[in-house]
Amino acid sequence: LNATTRRDAKGNITGVVGVGQDITELNQVMAESKRVADDLTRLIETANAPIFGIDVQGNVSEWNAKASSLLGYSKVEAMGK
């Protein structure tokens, strides 16, 4: 909600103008996006295959539990290297 005063030619307040927007749908979409992101994170972490990500600089940006067990480096050790 956004509101501002409405004034006459002399600057006297004559009322208030308000604008509001229903963000229910936006909140629903954001909640669904978070649910999907959480599901994908859980999938990556519990996969029975090593999964790792590399950013454009060549640094590790993702490292799952299977990568840790097979390669011997914890996620903390691998991230950013």
Side-chain angles (χ1 to χ4, degrees), residues 12-31:
N12 298 316
I13 296 174
T14 60
V16 177
V17 177
V19 178
Q21 185 175 3
D22 182 358
I23 59 169
T24 302
E25 186 176 344
L26 173 63
N27 287 339
Q28 290 169 344
V29 169
M30 290 176 63

Side-chain angles (χ1 to χ4, degrees), residues 17-75:
V17 177
V19 178
Q21 185 175 3
D22 182 358
I23 59 169
T24 302
E25 186 176 344
L26 173 63
N27 287 339
Q28 290 169 344
V29 169
M30 290 176 63
E32 176 65 10
S33 294
K34 182 176 178 349
R35 187 193 65 76
V36 169
D38 290 346
D39 287 350
L40 291 174
T41 298
R42 204 168 16 263
L43 175 70
I44 289 169
E45 284 303 316
T46 60
N48 196 25
I51 298 175
F52 60 93
I54 306 293
D55 66 19
V56 294
Q57 286 82 31
N59 298 315
V60 176
S61 59
E62 185 57 60
W63 192 263
N64 76 346
K66 194 64 169 183
S68 292
S69 68
L70 287 176
L71 300 172
Y73 296 100
S74 71
K75 186 172 187 171

